[in-house]
Amino acid sequence: NAGVTQTPKFQVLKTGQSMTLQCAQDMNHEYMSWYRQDPGMGLRLIHYSVGAGITDQGEVPNGYNVSRSTTEDFPLRLLSAAPSQTSVYFCASSYSAGSLHEQYFGPGTRLTVT
Amino acid sequence: AQSVTQLGSHVSVSEGALVLLRCNYSSSVPPYLFWYVQYPNQGLQLLLKYTTGATLVKGINGFEAEFKKSETSFHLTKPSAHMSDAAEYFCAVTYSGGYNKLIFGAGTRLAVHP
């Protein structure tokens, strides 16, 4: 099992550009989520999905879109990048949406918006 | 609303010394509590979790944490620090029925010196 994979590892964007951060898992997990990590703020939930076709907003959803067409993939789209979106982005998955289940995190994507 | 406070953004200990990382939470419902570790340039890995039952929880790599409801605390300890314990540690909270939406503390960076 590769676990949770994320691409790219690093990305530099100019303000106003769009891009998609990719996330895939091969554990047949129902639940997937995106977090951003900023210094001194821990991780904050952007969007989450409890299964294919079902997504919802987390704590900081503005400026990001998601979709979940398959169980395996959960891409995060930045429609018009802003410097405030400079951050490290982590994708995570768990067996189900139940709070008991361990979340497995990907290695992260470091995004810089200039 | 739930929140997590980690006291001390940086903690430094000598190899072989006691490790104590502090976490206090706020929750209006019975919490589920987690400690995650992040090694440099990696994703997060679950150290241990408390859901129900025994309040002293043992995790990987010799770490343990005790849930104290009266003090709203979930401090992480390890009797003897090892150089390989140097990492950033995050405390997180969620609750039963809250999906797997974790609220993270700001993190504590642990340094271990010879």
Side-chain angles (χ1 to χ4, degrees), chain A residues 37-60:
Chain A
Q37 182 181 22
D38 301 294
M41 303 188 73
L43 282 76
R44 292 178 292 168
L45 182 65
I46 305 172
H47 285 284
Y48 65 96
S49 169
V50 300
I54 307 169
T55 65
D56 205 348
Q57 297 180 350
E59 181 185 355
V60 288

Side-chain angles (χ1 to χ4, degrees), chain B:
Chain B
Q2 296 178 307
S3 66
V4 175
T5 302
Q6 291 184 239
L7 293 175
S9 58
H10 290 81
V11 170
S12 181
V13 301
S14 300
E15 192 172 21
L18 171 71
V19 175
L20 171 60
L21 304 182
R22 299 179 187 274
C23 172
N24 288 89
Y25 69 91
S26 172
S27 179
S28 58
V29 296
Y32 291 170
L33 294 156
F34 303 79
W35 276 99
Y36 281 85
V37 60
Q38 183 182 33
Y39 298 103
N41 300 314
Q42 294 187 26
L44 278 70
Q45 179 183 4
L46 181 67
L47 271 180
L48 50 81
K49 66 180 180 183
Y50 168 79
T51 53
T52 57
T55 57
L56 182 62
V57 180
K58 295 186 185 300
I60 61 172
N61 300 340
F63 285 94
E64 63 182 36
E66 186 170 11
F67 170 61
K68 292 188 176 180
K69 184 178 178 181
S70 61
E71 298 178 7
T72 60
S73 68
F74 191 57
H75 302 329
L76 182 70
T77 60
K78 182 174 180 177
S80 176
H82 192 272
M83 298 294 287
S84 61
D85 294 327
E88 189 154 23
Y89 293 79
F90 292 95
C91 183
V93 66
T94 185
Y95 61 96
S96 174
Y99 288 145
N100 216 335
K101 296 189 288 182
L102 294 170
I103 304 295
F104 283 89
T108 298
R109 187 169 297 278
L110 175 67
V112 182
H113 52 86

Side-chain angles (χ1 to χ4, degrees), chain A residues 56-91:
Chain A
D56 205 348
Q57 297 180 350
E59 181 185 355
V60 288
N62 291 343
Y64 307 95
N65 276 357
V66 292
S67 60
R68 182 108 178 262
S69 56
T70 67
T71 298
E72 294 77 19
D73 300 296
F74 191 44
L76 179 71
R77 298 184 188 84
L78 283 69
L79 302 178
S80 178
S84 61
Q85 294 178 304
T86 293
S87 187
V88 182
Y89 291 85
F90 288 99
C91 180

